[in-house]
Amino acid sequence: MRIGILALVLLLVGGTLAGGEQIARKRLVATIDADGVQRVAMTGGEYYFDPSEVVVKVNVPVELGVRKSEGMVPHNIALNAPEAGIDFDRELSSSEVTVIRFTPTRVGTYPFACTHRFLFFESHSDKGMHGVLEVVQ
Ligand SMILES: [Cu+2]
């Protein structure tokens, strides 16, 4: 499977985890491949998504290819915005890329996150495993 990113813009913005550890928040502006699909490769791990801000164009198909970092901690990625044509909740694997396809139909900013939580501890999202999908004209 081919996950192509023709161009990307990385904008480093300081982010802070609960433990004080600095992480880089990365922003990626998707470009449209020759076949008309916006493909974005993403990684999820403890406790982040990379990139954590993804900008896509409205009414153009999107293919997110999401891989989990190595390790035993389970992760997913969920975004619930059916009003914008986006609604998924998928487990992630470190051995294969999870491909998520949708076409955003409404401009806006939509948060996504890992919804896992271990017992009474903070959720993965609270620990930093969240991001936003920006749908633009
Ligand atoms: Cu997680």
Side-chain angles (χ1 to χ4, degrees):
M1 180 181 4
R2 187 179 71 95
I3 302 295
I5 304 172
L6 293 180
L8 56 82
V9 176
L10 296 178
L11 179 69
L12 300 179
V13 180
T16 306
L17 293 173
E21 183 186 344
Q22 286 292 316
I23 57 162
R25 308 294 289 183
K26 289 185 189 165
R27 176 185 174 94
L28 183 147
V29 179
T31 55
I32 304 172
D33 284 353
D35 62 355
V37 177
Q38 310 180 83
R39 291 187 176 80
V40 174
M42 189 183 288
T43 303
E46 297 86 58
Y47 288 92
Y48 66 90
F49 283 106
D50 178 15
S52 55
E53 295 179 39
V54 177
V55 182
V56 296
K57 280 204 183 328
V58 69
N59 295 322
V60 177
V62 175
E63 205 174 281
L64 292 182
V66 192
R67 182 183 285 279
K68 189 174 86 65
S69 65
E70 298 294 330
M72 300 298 289
V73 182
H75 295 299
N76 65 13
I77 183 168
L79 196 167
N80 177 241
E83 72 280 9
I86 314 164
D87 192 10
F88 57 80
D89 181 351
R90 300 279 300 275
E91 275 309 304
L92 302 181
S93 162
S94 44
S95 59
E96 70 183 79
V97 175
T98 298
V99 178
I100 301 164
R101 295 184 180 86
F102 58 89
T103 299
T105 56
R106 187 185 286 189
V107 168
T109 299
Y110 305 99
F112 59 81
C114 173
T115 61
H116 282 292
R117 172 196 294 270
F118 180 64
L119 301 176
F120 50 83
F121 294 101
E122 276 186 308
S123 71
H124 292 188
S125 179
D126 288 342
K127 291 178 176 181
M129 198 168 181
H130 56 82
V132 292
L133 181 76
E134 285 177 51
V135 179
V136 299
Q137 271 303 333

